[in-house]
Amino acid sequence: MSATESPETAAPADVTTVAVPLPGAAYDILIGPGLIGRAGAEIAARFPGVRVSVVTDEEVNHAHGEALVSSLGRAGLEPELIVVPAGEQSKCFAVLEDVVDQLLAQRRERGDLVVALGGGVIGDLAGFASAIVRRGMRFVQVPTSLLAQVDSSVGGKTGINTPHGKNLVGVFHQPSLVLADTDALASLPPRHMRAGYAEIAKYGLIDDAAFFGWLEQNHAGVLARGPELTEAVAASCRAKARVVVADEKETSGARALLNLGHTFGHALEAYCGYGERLIHGEGVAVGMAQAFRFSVEAGLCAPADAARVEAHLRAAGLPTRMSDIPGEMADDDTLVSLMAQDKKVKRGRLTFILARGIGQCFVAGDVAPDAIRSFLSRDRLL
Amino acid sequence: MSATESPETAAPADVTTVAVPLPGAAYDILIGPGLIGRAGAEIAARFPGVRVSVVTDEEVNHAHGEALVSSLGRAGLEPELIVVPAGEQSKCFAVLEDVVDQLLAQRRERGDLVVALGGGVIGDLAGFASAIVRRGMRFVQVPTSLLAQVDSSVGGKTGINTPHGKNLVGVFHQPSLVLADTDALASLPPRHMRAGYAEIAKYGLIDDAAFFGWLEQNHAGVLARGPELTEAVAASCRAKARVVVADEKETSGARALLNLGHTFGHALEAYCGYGERLIHGEGVAVGMAQAFRFSVEAGLCAPADAARVEAHLRAAGLPTRMSDIPGEMADDDTLVSLMAQDKKVKRGRLTFILARGIGQCFVAGDVAPDAIRSFLSRDRLL
């Protein structure tokens, strides 16, 4: 390592490391500024002798591709680039096959690395491709959206969509490293900052009322990309890591808590076509508010807690009601039917994450579709 | 369970059970006659409440589909059928996507079962589909070819082919049960019996000289589907189970021993187009004979052992030389280049399973391509 490279290898004091101590698949999440430019050094230090293929989309490539590839090149990792179209529609069989084909054409071996540079779509797609090429290559997540940094890049869920629903095809495949460069969020549109923020708020709502209280005080700083941002991302990654270690493959129910707002939210997103009309974090925000309102109706949760959840999400600029979603809304039957195609369905009964209060969520594994239908008929009038 | 069903549930004395005690993924292999007709009872007893989707091909469906589906139906498992074209070309992205789409259309859930009814192609394809639908359904192997019963149905390797090579895309996903119905072999063409036999002989050659000696005495009975057949299948499954438990995901090298004959064999198969010209077990037979001849040239193995291997494979009606393969043969460079696209390649060096004698194979992880090229130039003259 030459003297000119040493500034890259010394981790600066403003980088936070969160460990994900999964047995046999432990990895680190590094959070802080400048990590894309230092990616080559970080990867070369951890994975001696690997070669690297970067998977990214056209937009992210324009913003960060050159910085990442040149960092990898300086570290001697022989980077190759695979660029797919931007957007959710790249999470499909056709693009998966194309990425897999390019990885094989680049003659990447089992011990080589796939680097996923982008938001959740790229992480899910590239992670899945790395899981199935030669029955499993290693991969590194370099999430460039807030949503990906606090949620999808951690925990090993990979996959693609099908006409039957989102994320219905995929595997659990843990990354070997996550580099969350907070500088990459500087150019993120405010709407996508807010959407990512919904997943941050989720961690407080699930089981950490103190963190939710901190967010009520500090959300403006987080959204303005102040120093509070790194703290919020790190707290979120720590919360997610805790849950993933407890229940890596969603078998015990612990991991299911991360789906707070997601059963309602996925149905809304599915109806809206997974596009600009309702982006994922917005669907989650509406879904979390609905989960709290449903919990109030069921006599589980104090109305004041649901009101506080709604007030905070609205203060962060997020939608909380079906009437906040532009355009026509699906009828109750359609939404319940969309929920029934969820991966977590068991014997036709619906699973929801409900709340006894802020920071007191639990898995309700046996909710009758009729109860949801009836709730929706009232909730849509708000 | 009514009295009329009891004959199905009592396992007859002629069924052998081989345990695969993988931590967290243990399963049984049942070997013997009549298992397709008893599949419903066996599955219902082990997996209460599941629903079942059967994946098979047109030919196997014609022979065994109705027997299996009606057995599953009698056990209340609500079977649905997914039929793909017969042949290796079904191991591709397009057919995988079709199978996945049908499983989702049938609204199968994570806890439901995929049953793979067929040879290695169906097991690999359906196993892969079950691994990626909803990030992992369970599956049961019902192998109907000798090759699948003694090799591919056990151990959890699933996958498809790509234009870059065979089995280059897939995952490790263990079945939850294997039902090897030896009656299904009654209609197997003799050529496919012989091809499956090559994998049986492999287990003796790897590390069990006594079993190889037993095969030298009993191969005629095995190939004629006499009582020796169940014994040979069970011995093979026990050998494979031992290796899989020692090295589930091919990381320690123990599992690599199962690739005896496969690096040579895959290159020959790839050149021949994975079709009727050279079927898999035949490629393995030639490859095993070559591995022993290469080991003799390298001074590792006594010439008498290589001669004994060749004599036995020929006695079983298998090819052992490149000149046994009809049509033009690839030149040395082409074959070495095809070997270099193997999943087990590391840093461009080739991995071969070589032998110090019968039952004394080992992994040679660093064979120079030039040594192979030079060997092939002589070996093709036999």
Side-chain angles (χ1 to χ4, degrees):
Chain A
M1 192 84 30
S2 76
T4 56
E5 283 171 310
S6 60
E8 291 192 14
T9 57
D14 51 1
V15 168
T16 300
T17 299
V18 174
V20 187
L22 276 168
Y27 56 97
D28 285 340
I29 308 163
L30 273 55
I31 303 151
L35 284 166
I36 288 177
R38 288 220 329 280
E42 296 287 355
I43 290 170
R46 284 173 172 80
F47 312 102
V50 297
R51 293 170 304 175
V52 168
S53 291
V54 176
V55 179
T56 190
D57 70 36
E58 285 159 0
E59 287 176 16
V60 176
N61 187 38
H62 184 71
H64 305 292
E66 199 183 311
L68 179 63
V69 168
S70 79
S71 168
L72 297 169
R74 287 195 303 278
L77 302 174
E78 305 173 38
E80 300 259 12
L81 195 60
I82 298 171
V83 183
V84 305
E88 186 79 30
Q89 62 280 9
S90 279
K91 279 179 65 174
C92 67
F93 265 106
V95 176
L96 176 72
E97 184 174 358
D98 178 49
V99 171
V100 162
D101 190 65
Q102 291 192 57
L103 288 169
L104 290 169
Q106 292 166 4
R107 297 217 159 196
R108 290 330 195 193
E109 300 172 6
R110 269 194 193 163
D112 289 331
L113 271 184
V114 174
V115 172
L117 173 70
V121 166
I122 289 298
D124 288 1
L125 173 72
F128 190 26
S130 74
I132 65 176
V133 166
R134 299 172 193 273
R135 296 203 188 94
M137 298 176 61
R138 295 182 293 186
F139 82 115
V140 170
Q141 294 270 22
V142 184
T144 58
S145 73
L146 182 56
L147 187 84
Q149 293 193 357
V150 300
D151 182 19
S152 60
S153 70
V154 176
K157 283 194 177 180
T158 73
I160 58 174
N161 306 326
T162 84
H164 295 282
K166 212 173 155 178
N167 295 325
L168 287 177
V169 175
V171 293
F172 290 95
H173 183 52
Q174 298 294 336
S176 296
L177 177 69
V178 181
L179 301 174
D181 186 338
T182 48
D183 285 345
L185 305 180
S187 56
L188 199 67
R191 184 181 177 189
H192 287 263
M193 278 299 287
R194 294 193 296 268
Y197 183 82
E199 298 278 4
I200 296 178
K202 187 184 76 175
Y203 295 111
L205 294 175
I206 290 173
D207 65 355
D208 193 343
F211 181 51
F212 188 77
W214 183 87
L215 288 171
E216 287 179 314
Q217 301 300 316
N218 293 283
H219 67 272
V222 173
L223 288 167
R225 294 155 244 227
E228 299 88 348
L229 176 57
T230 297
E231 199 169 335
V233 172
S236 299
C237 288
R238 271 192 291 269
K240 176 130 191 195
R242 211 164 49 229
V243 173
V244 167
V245 168
D247 181 20
E248 182 185 356
K249 296 194 175 169
E250 209 159 47
T251 45
S252 79
R255 187 160 182 162
L257 290 169
L258 297 174
N259 291 317
L260 172 63
H262 280 62
T263 308
F264 285 112
H266 271 164
L268 297 170
E269 278 186 88
Y271 178 73
C272 293
Y274 299 113
E276 287 300 302
R277 195 174 149 203
L278 183 73
I279 62 178
H280 178 64
E282 294 170 342
V284 170
V286 177
M288 292 194 297
Q290 289 184 301
F292 270 79
R293 288 195 293 269
F294 183 84
S295 298
V296 170
E297 276 202 10
L300 293 161
C301 175
D305 275 0
R308 198 177 143 202
V309 171
E310 178 158 33
H312 178 59
L313 295 173
R314 295 194 89 83
L318 283 161
T320 58
R321 300 172 177 191
M322 287 157 80
S323 59
D324 291 332
I325 301 167
E328 282 217 4
M329 183 38 63
D331 62 31
D332 303 331
D333 282 337
T334 302
L335 288 173
V336 170
S337 165
L338 287 165
M339 291 172 192
Q341 183 56 299
D342 195 90
K343 280 185 297 302
K344 275 80 68 180
V345 167
K346 278 192 190 151
R347 299 278 85 90
R349 304 290 287 191
L350 300 171
T351 296
F352 283 82
I353 311 306
L354 301 181
R356 296 198 175 86
I358 287 167
Q360 298 174 62
C361 285
F362 66 99
V363 181
D366 191 16
V367 177
D370 277 350
I372 297 297
R373 221 182 322 261
S374 159
F375 165 76
L376 288 172
S377 69
R378 291 181 294 279
D379 200 61
R380 67 170 62 244
L381 304 177
L382 292 182
Chain B
M1 193 81 32
S2 76
T4 57
E5 283 171 311
S6 60
E8 290 191 16
T9 56
D14 50 1
V15 168
T16 300
T17 300
V18 174
V20 187
L22 277 167
Y27 57 97
D28 285 340
I29 308 163
L30 272 56
I31 303 151
L35 284 166
I36 288 178
R38 289 220 328 279
E42 296 288 354
I43 290 170
R46 285 172 171 77
F47 311 102
V50 296
R51 292 171 303 176
V52 167
S53 292
V54 176
V55 179
T56 189
D57 70 36
E58 285 159 1
E59 287 176 16
V60 175
N61 187 38
H62 184 71
H64 306 292
E66 200 183 309
L68 179 63
V69 167
S70 78
S71 169
L72 298 169
R74 286 196 304 278
L77 302 174
E78 305 174 36
E80 300 258 13
L81 195 60
I82 298 171
V83 183
V84 307
E88 186 79 29
Q89 63 280 8
S90 280
K91 279 178 65 174
C92 67
F93 265 106
V95 176
L96 176 72
E97 183 174 0
D98 179 48
V99 171
V100 162
D101 190 65
Q102 290 192 57
L103 288 169
L104 291 170
Q106 293 167 3
R107 297 217 159 196
R108 291 328 196 193
E109 300 171 4
R110 269 194 194 164
D112 289 331
L113 272 183
V114 174
V115 171
L117 173 69
V121 167
I122 289 298
D124 287 2
L125 173 71
F128 190 25
S130 74
I132 65 175
V133 166
R134 298 173 193 270
R135 296 202 188 95
M137 298 175 62
R138 295 182 293 184
F139 82 115
V140 170
Q141 294 269 22
V142 183
T144 59
S145 72
L146 182 56
L147 186 85
Q149 292 193 358
V150 301
D151 182 18
S152 60
S153 71
V154 176
K157 283 195 176 178
T158 73
I160 57 175
N161 305 325
T162 84
H164 295 282
K166 212 175 155 177
N167 296 324
L168 287 176
V169 175
V171 295
F172 289 95
H173 182 53
Q174 297 294 335
S176 296
L177 177 68
V178 181
L179 300 175
D181 186 339
T182 48
D183 285 345
L185 305 179
S187 57
L188 199 67
R191 183 180 179 191
H192 288 263
M193 278 299 289
R194 294 193 296 269
Y197 184 83
E199 298 278 4
I200 296 178
K202 187 185 76 176
Y203 296 110
L205 294 176
I206 290 173
D207 65 355
D208 192 345
F211 181 52
F212 188 76
W214 183 87
L215 288 171
E216 287 179 314
Q217 301 301 316
N218 294 283
H219 67 273
V222 173
L223 288 167
R225 294 154 242 227
E228 299 88 347
L229 175 57
T230 297
E231 199 169 334
V233 173
S236 299
C237 289
R238 272 191 290 271
K240 176 130 189 196
R242 211 164 50 231
V243 173
V244 167
V245 168
D247 181 21
E248 182 184 355
K249 297 195 175 168
E250 210 160 46
T251 45
S252 80
R255 187 161 182 160
L257 289 170
L258 297 174
N259 292 318
L260 171 63
H262 281 62
T263 307
F264 286 111
H266 270 164
L268 297 170
E269 278 185 87
Y271 178 74
C272 293
Y274 298 114
E276 286 300 301
R277 195 174 148 202
L278 183 74
I279 62 178
H280 178 63
E282 294 169 343
V284 170
V286 177
M288 292 193 297
Q290 289 184 302
F292 271 79
R293 288 195 293 267
F294 182 84
S295 299
V296 169
E297 277 203 10
L300 293 161
C301 175
D305 276 0
R308 198 177 144 201
V309 171
E310 177 157 34
H312 178 59
L313 294 173
R314 296 194 89 82
L318 285 161
T320 58
R321 300 171 177 191
M322 289 158 80
S323 59
D324 292 332
I325 301 167
E328 283 218 3
M329 184 37 65
D331 61 31
D332 304 331
D333 282 337
T334 302
L335 288 174
V336 169
S337 165
L338 287 166
M339 292 172 192
Q341 183 57 301
D342 194 272
K343 281 184 296 303
K344 276 79 69 180
V345 167
K346 278 191 191 151
R347 298 278 86 91
R349 303 291 283 192
L350 301 171
T351 296
F352 283 82
I353 311 306
L354 301 181
R356 296 197 175 85
I358 288 167
Q360 299 175 61
C361 285
F362 66 98
V363 181
D366 191 17
V367 177
D370 276 350
I372 297 296
R373 222 181 323 260
S374 160
F375 165 76
L376 287 173
S377 70
R378 291 180 296 280
D379 199 61
R380 66 171 61 247
L381 304 176
L382 291 183

